[in-house]
């Protein structure tokens, strides 16, 4: 093995799932070519953020979240600098400065700084008892607070809010969700799936308030209640704010790297600064900031291939949501709400809590799947995602398609599938 | 109550199987029924019955599936203020008696009529015939047998002087040539056909099939002659000419026992002077005609079997005559392996003939000569004898339509479906002043004709009496089930009416045995060998002996009642009784008469408006109007929808593909049927089965199209040569509805109902698409839990309704007509309990995950084997033959009527690469 001094220095800022995937891909493609350093603000080994709700719900332990153990990183010669946030990037000097004052030079810099939970600009947001749900520390705080009889309110009926609420309810808290929109997970689910999800959530004893806007968090020295815009006061011991995330682009912005909502990258995941790249939830590609793990993994694969000299380009991801929320599997992808000129197929078995809607677009020659929402059984989600990505003509199998891969002809169903994300 | 005493249920459960007789075709197979004590029974062929020796066909094997009470009429009903209400027997019979009495007083006896059925037992027939012809004073007693074999009766009487079937089934075992003309025996008399096939395997019997249609029977033939409709007489006239020309006549027999050969021969020469003329008129290649003539000439042991293809013709009697001519001329009659042989269609058409339950017979093979009327009057002690023939079925319905007949009693048949111009008959029946119906079902097209009285009849398994099969063999139908509800024997109802009209003594019977003894005594009364039908030897049977009576052929001459019939051949090795080997015909001079057939032509010609000729008939697994076979899931699987078979070129010319809906139109009616293009019919001809009715399909009453031109001798209508036109009926959507419970017909432009295991299925075609069906489904099953699949733009809607236990209660599937959904893979869901998530998805998907979309149509009904496993076996074992398929899958090993289909599957298999 050549000495590390001869290897090109690659510094990765961020120790999340995107960073870990990138390291895995790059060391697999070019095991000896780069010297990798990962700098993480959190003091943990990279962990699976998707499982935080399971951790909160007590279904898994903290160890189960770890993506790669210390030995894995060591075996690949990857240097880990954890619990040490980066203070600044100097693109001219090609170095990063850490919060502890040290500096690190780079040949290539990969920004994988992720995103942070939004805190609403409302009165009382700084009261003790107002928490977010984004990282391991948040989970620790929630677990510390959660107990039977605790009155908890979650602001936000999106994925994170539902997971926080489910975890809290699982821990015995009297839990309610306050949601601004007219249905839960409105960006991932259509109205019918949203309604089914509400039923499932309510079946867990969680109260759901839709079309509800928060005016203020009230309390004398700590949270005592949540005031709605309609004037109602909901008593609460704990408020979890889960209203969305914001890309962590401040570091790049301060370094003069082009940013909009996120750090702007091209199809090669390159920023406008030489040898500086960005991927994951901090990156903005073609106007899109992805908040899901799978686009981050795709980006990590593309960037690793490019740095390894294998070429490739990232053309964006077909948006897919594929998760278990509040004990229910949901999946959505693509243009699942439909649009002018699309057609839809609906398969519903309300008695079993199953629902799926497929959105099609036909141009007279071929019929393509352009969107899907699945509720209750998402086993076919990736199959549909693959069909959306490949743009294959599903016309001949149209009548069978909604019933899943097991029902369609082998030539359509044995398409290569993307690695499960 | 005078009903036969049933076995107590507890006894029945441990009793040995009851020997009885199948209620379907005229073969008259013995059946062993083992009641299960819960209203059902296991059914097997009776190995000791000489007609079948243990075999049963698909229909007979499925008898057990038809025994339920779900469709039964169980109480008398009486129309009160426009609506039918449950009534007592007393009130119902009182209403009939009043109506008949009033009608006769006001309009004379010929204003009343009774319309009977070849499904009735001989005792029922006897009671009805006696009541009408001796006590009401009318011979307006006819039967659906008129539609079936009246031309054979007339043909027999013209040639023999009596309605005598000369031969026996054993002749098929002993023949060297069997000619089947106008008979699809492989489907319609399957057990007899299997017997013939066994003989062919054993002794190489040659089989010639004459039929306009390449039937399953034709496929088995050594020589198939696709004769033009109605031209059978030309073919047989040509045969007579040929036999004469090459000196193959039996001059001694002709001289000793016949008359009229020369005139017949001259007539035959006029029709068929030479081979070229025969070939031209029949449409059969001259070489094939010559082969047939040579075979017939060279084969002394020849049996010519004929059935509805000969009878259901405006010249049916002449056709029968032309056939009999050839057998008389060669002396091939009444000897083992020889003779003309009429295969009757119904289980007891023969019994009806023996009784005289036809408008042109009086009783017991007697007619309306003054001496015969007087004889029967004395025997019956009858006050109001009918003295002339009554109206035969078609004329009877014309008299119903024009008001000459005002009061009608229909028993055990469905004339609103089965008679020609059936729509007109339905309308006429509905306008009657008085209509009484005895039936064992609650609903059929005739029962929908505003009857005034309904009487609940016993069904097969409950009835007790006798039937006679095609070889004159009288067998017992025995009861093995309790009479349900208030159902009673038909003879009992007739007797009750007779008593109400003041004839207590003449109608005092207390059992079927008493009726039978009287019938037997009448047959022998002043007979002394003058009449062929004599069962006087059975007139003295006591009740126990009647109960035990083994199947036996008539005549059964009693020593006390008359001398032995001279001409009857002594019982042979099998005890068979044949007629006429030594002459002894029942004409005044005891000679058979050759007949001169008229120049044949179908009653109506085709033209530009009606360019096709419609042939009708039965299919393998259904019986008549399906009130019974329609209850069997197995039997519904073979050909589930009403269809029209047409030549592929005719279909192509009309833009019709397999499975398309086709509207057939004649001047008298229409039917909408599924197209089955195939090589069966000749070009310009189509075939449609007779079975579907308004109860089983939206518009498939095929007899509505039939004109009803009748044979001048027999009055039998022509049912197999109706000019029609065909056009494609394009309905945008096709689909099906499965349901566990019986439903009213779905709201659809076209539908057909099929019995399925665990429920029923409806095939559907409609202009309305997914969204309309979604609304209908919600309206019909909204109270249940529904799962749905909707692809509005794709034209698909499917919905499953689940009951409280999660069992599939109903399943609807609608799709574009060119991709009609198929229930083959999901119909079994009606038989299972609650479905899991995967099962519920499969229900809507229309198949199991990973499975092909269908398993094919049912081929073997007896063992429920569909086409796909058979094809798979043939594919994996290219050398597999019918025997191998039977060994592996059992298909074809019971009744064998699917063997032609198995052979076709083998022949059509792609060659191994």
């Amino acid at each position: 093995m050549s000495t590390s001094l001869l290897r090109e220095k690659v510094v990765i800022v961020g120790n999340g799932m995107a960073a870990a995937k990138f390291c895995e891909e790059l060391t697999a493609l070019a095991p000896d070519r780069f010297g990798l350093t990962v700098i993480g603000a959190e003091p943990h080994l990279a962990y699976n953020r998707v499982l935080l709700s399971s951790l909160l719900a007590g279904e898994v332990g903290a160890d189960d979240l770890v993506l790669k153990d210390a030995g894995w990183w060591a075996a690949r010669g990857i240097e880990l600098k954890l619990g040490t946030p980066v203070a600044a990037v100097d693109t001219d000097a090609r170095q990063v400065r850490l919060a502890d004052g040290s500096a690190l030079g780079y040949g290539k810099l990969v920004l994988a700084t992720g995103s942070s939970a939004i805190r609403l600009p409302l009165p009382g947001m700084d009261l003790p008892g107002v928490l977010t749900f984004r990282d391991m520390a948040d989970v620790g705080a929630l677990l510390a607070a959660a107990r039977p009889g605790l009155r908890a309110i979650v602001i936000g009926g999106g994925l994170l809010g539902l997971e926080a609420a489910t975890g809290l309810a699982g821990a015995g808290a009297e839990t309610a969700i306050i949601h601004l929109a007219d249905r839960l997970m409105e960006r991932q689910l259509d109205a019918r799936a949203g309604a089914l999800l509400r039923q499932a959530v309510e079946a867990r004893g969680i109260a759901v308030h839709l079309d509800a806007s928060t005016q203020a968090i009230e309390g004398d020295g700590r949270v005592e209640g949540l005031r709605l815009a309609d004037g109602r006061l909901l008593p609460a011991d704990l408020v979890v704010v889960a209203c969305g995330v914001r890309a962590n682009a401040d570091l790049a912005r301060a370094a003069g790297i082009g940013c909009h909502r996120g750090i702007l990258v091209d199809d090669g995941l390159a920023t406008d600064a030489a040898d500086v790249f960005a991927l994951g939830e901090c990156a903005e590609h073609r106007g899109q900031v992805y908040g899901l793990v799978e686009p981050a993994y795709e980006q990590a694969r593309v960037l690793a291939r490019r740095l390894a000299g294998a070429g490739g380009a990232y053309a964006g991801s077909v948006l897919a949501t594929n998760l278990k929320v509040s004990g229910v599997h949901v999946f959505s992808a693509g243009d699942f709400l439909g649009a002018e000129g699309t057609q839809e197929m609906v398969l519903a078995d309300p008695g079993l809590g199953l629902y799926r809607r497929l959105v099609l677009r036909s141009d007279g020659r071929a019929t393509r799947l352009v969107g899907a929402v699945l509720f209750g059984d998402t086993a076919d989600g990736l199959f549909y995602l693959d069909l959306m990505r490949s743009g294959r003509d599903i016309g001949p199998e149209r009548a069978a398609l909604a019933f899943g891969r097991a029902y369609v002809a082998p030539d359509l169903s044995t398409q290569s599938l993307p690695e499960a994300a | 109550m005078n009903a036969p005493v049933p076995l107590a249920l507890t006894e029945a459960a441990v009793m040995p199987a009851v020997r009885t007789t199948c209620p379907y075709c005229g073969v008259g197979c013995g059946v062993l029924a083992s009641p299960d004590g819960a209203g059902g029974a296991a059914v097997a062929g009776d190995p000791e019955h000489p007609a079948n020796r243990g075999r049963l066909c698909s229909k007979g094997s499925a008898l057990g599936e038809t025994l339920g009470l779900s469709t039964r009429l169980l109480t008398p009903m009486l129309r009160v203020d426009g609506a039918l209400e449950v009534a007592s027997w007393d009130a119902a019979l009182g209403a009939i008696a009043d109506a008949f009495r009033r009608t006769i007083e006001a309009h004379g006896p010929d204003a009343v009529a009774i319309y009977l059925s070849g499904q009735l037992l001989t005792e029922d027939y006897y009671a009805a015939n006696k009541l009408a012809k001796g006590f009401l004073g009318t011979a307006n007693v006819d039967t659906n047998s008129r539609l079936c074999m009246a031309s054979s009766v007339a043909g027999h009487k013209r040639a023999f002087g009596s309605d005598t079937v000369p031969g026996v089934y054993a002749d098929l075992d002993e023949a060297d040539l069997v000619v089947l003309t106008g008979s699809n025996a492989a489907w319609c008399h399957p057990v007899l056909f299997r017997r013939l096939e066994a003989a062919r395997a054993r002794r190489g019997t040659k089989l010639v099939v004459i039929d306009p249609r390449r039937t399953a029977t034709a496929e088995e033939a050594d020589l198939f002659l696709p004769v033009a409709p109605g031209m059978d007489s030309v073919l047989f006239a040509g045969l007579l000419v040929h036999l004469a020309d090459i000196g193959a006549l039996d001059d001694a027999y002709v001289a000793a026992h016949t008359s009229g050969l020369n005139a017949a021969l001259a007539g035959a020469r006029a029709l068929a002077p030479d081979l070229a003329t025969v070939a031209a008129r029949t449409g059969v290649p001259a070489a094939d005609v010559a082969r047939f003539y040579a075979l017939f000439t060279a084969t002394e042991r020849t049996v010519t079997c004929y059935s509805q293809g000969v009878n259901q013709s405006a010249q049916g009697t002449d056709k029968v005559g032309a056939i009999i001519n050839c057998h008389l001329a060669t002396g091939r009659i009444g000897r083992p392996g020889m003779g003309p042989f009429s295969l009757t269609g119904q289980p007891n058409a023969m019994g009806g003939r023996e009784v005289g339950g036809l408008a042109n017979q009086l009783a017991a093979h007697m007619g309306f000569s003054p001496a015969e009327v007087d004889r029967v009057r004395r025997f019956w002690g009858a006050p109001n004898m009918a003295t002339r023939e009554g109206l035969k079925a078609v004329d009877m319905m014309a008299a119903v339509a024009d008001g000459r007949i005002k009061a009608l009693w229909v028993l055990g048949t469905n004339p609103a479906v089965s008679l020609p111009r059936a729509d007109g008959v339905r309308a006429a029946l509905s306008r009657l002043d008085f209509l009484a119906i005895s039936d064992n079902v609650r609903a059929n097209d005739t029962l929908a004709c505003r009857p005034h009285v309904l009487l609940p009849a016993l069904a097969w398994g409950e009835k007790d009496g006798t039937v006679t099969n095609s070889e004159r063999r009288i067998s017992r139908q025995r009861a093995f089930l309790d009479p349900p509800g208030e159902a009673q024997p038909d003879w009992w109802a007739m007797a009750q009416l007779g008593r109400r009209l003041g004839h207590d003594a003449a109608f005092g019977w207390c059992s079927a045995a008493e009726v039978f003894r009287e019938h037997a005594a009448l047959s022998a009364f002043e007979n002394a060998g003058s009449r062929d039908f004599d069962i006087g030897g059975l007139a003295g049977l006591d009740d126990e002996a009647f109960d035990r009576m083994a199947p036996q052929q008539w005549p059964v001459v009693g020593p006390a009642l008359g001398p032995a019939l001279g001409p009857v051949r002594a019982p042979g090795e099998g005890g068979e009784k044949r007629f006429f080997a030594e002459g002894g015909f029942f004409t005044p001079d005891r000679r058979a008469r050759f007949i001169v057939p008229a120049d044949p032509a179908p009653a109506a010609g085709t033209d530009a408006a009606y360019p096709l000729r419609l042939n009708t008939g039965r299919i393998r697994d259904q019986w008549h109007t399906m009130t019974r076979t329609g209850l069997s899931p197995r039997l519904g699987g073979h050909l589930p929808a009403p269809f029209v078979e047409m030549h592929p070129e005719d279909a192509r010319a009309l833009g019709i593909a397999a499975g398309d809906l086709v509207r057939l139109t004649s001047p008298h009616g229409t039917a909408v049927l599924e197209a089955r293009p195939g090589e069966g019919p000749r070009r310009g001809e189509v075939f449609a089965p007779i079975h579907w009715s308004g109860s089983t399909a939206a518009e498939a009453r095929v007899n509505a199209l039939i004109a009803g031109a009748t044979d001048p001798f027999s009055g039998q209508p022509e049912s197999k040569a109706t000019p029609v036109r065909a056009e494609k009926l394009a309905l945008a959507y096709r689909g099906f509805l499965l349901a566990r419970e019986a439903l009213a017909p779905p709201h659809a432009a076209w539908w057909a109902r099929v019995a399925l295991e665990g429920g029923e299925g409806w095939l559907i075609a409609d202009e309305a698409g997914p969204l309309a069906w979604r609304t209908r489904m919600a309206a019909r099953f909204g109270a249940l839990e529904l799962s749905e699949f909707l692809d509005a733009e794709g034209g698909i809607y499917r919905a499953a309704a689940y009951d409280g236990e999660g069992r599939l209660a109903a399943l609807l599937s609608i799709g574009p007509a060119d991709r009609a959904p198929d229930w083959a893979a999901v119909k079994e869901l009606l038989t299972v309990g609650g479905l899991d998530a995967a099962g519920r998805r499969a229900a809507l998907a229309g198949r199991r995950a990973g499975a092909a979309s269908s398993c094919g149509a049912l081929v073997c009904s007896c063992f429920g084997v569909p086409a796909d496993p058979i094809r798979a076996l043939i594919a994996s074992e290219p050398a597999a033959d019918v025997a191998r398929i039977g060994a592996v899958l059992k298909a074809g090993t019971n009744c064998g009527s699917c063997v032609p289909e198995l052979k076709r599957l083998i022949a059509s298999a792609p060659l191994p690469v």
Side-chain angles (χ1 to χ4, degrees), chain B residues 246-258:
Chain B
I246 66 164
L249 302 186
D250 182 340
D251 295 329
Y253 188 88
V254 169
H257 303 302
T258 72

Side-chain angles (χ1 to χ4, degrees), chain B residues 824-877:
Chain B
V826 288
K827 65 179 186 193
E828 71 189 21
L829 297 178
L830 293 177
T831 67
V832 300
L835 295 180
D836 62 9
R840 284 166 75 130
R841 181 175 304 179
L844 284 189
R847 54 197 158 98
R848 289 183 297 277
S853 59
S854 160
C855 54
L858 196 62
V859 174
C860 170
S861 299
C862 297
F863 294 110
V865 187
D868 279 4
I870 298 170
R871 287 199 192 96
L873 176 65
I874 298 167
S876 66
E877 293 183 32

Side-chain angles (χ1 to χ4, degrees), chain B residues 642-675:
Chain B
F643 65 89
V644 55
E645 221 172 66
M646 54 204 315
H647 194 282
E649 308 238 331
D650 288 329
R652 220 177 344 264
L654 292 164
I656 292 167
D660 283 353
L661 291 179
V662 175
R663 183 184 296 282
L664 291 187
T665 305
S666 86
H668 308 289
T670 67
V672 178
L673 309 167
E674 262 189 14

Side-chain angles (χ1 to χ4, degrees), chain A residues 49 112-117 134 244-249 280-282 289-291:
Chain A
R49 202 180 296 280
T113 48
S115 58
S116 305
R134 180 62 194 162
V245 295
R246 183 186 298 114
N248 291 331
E281 295 181 13
C282 67
V289 177
Y290 297 100

Side-chain angles (χ1 to χ4, degrees), chain B residues 537-581:
Chain B
L538 303 173
L541 295 182
D542 62 18
D543 287 1
E544 195 195 335
F546 177 73
D547 218 34
R548 286 197 324 265
M549 187 170 79
Q552 56 189 302
Q553 285 180 297
W554 60 260
V556 186
V557 178
L561 291 162
L565 289 178
V568 175
R569 200 179 170 82
E573 201 178 322
E576 293 91 6
K577 296 171 180 173
R578 298 178 172 89
F579 279 87
F580 310 141

Side-chain angles (χ1 to χ4, degrees), chain A residues 4 44 48 75 100 132 150 198 235 252 288 309 320 338 343 380 388 398:
Chain A
S4 62
H44 320 282
N48 185 340
D100 64 5
T132 56
L150 178 84
R198 178 183 183 168
Q288 192 78 46
Q343 305 177 355
D380 291 308
M388 281 180 241
R398 177 174 180 143

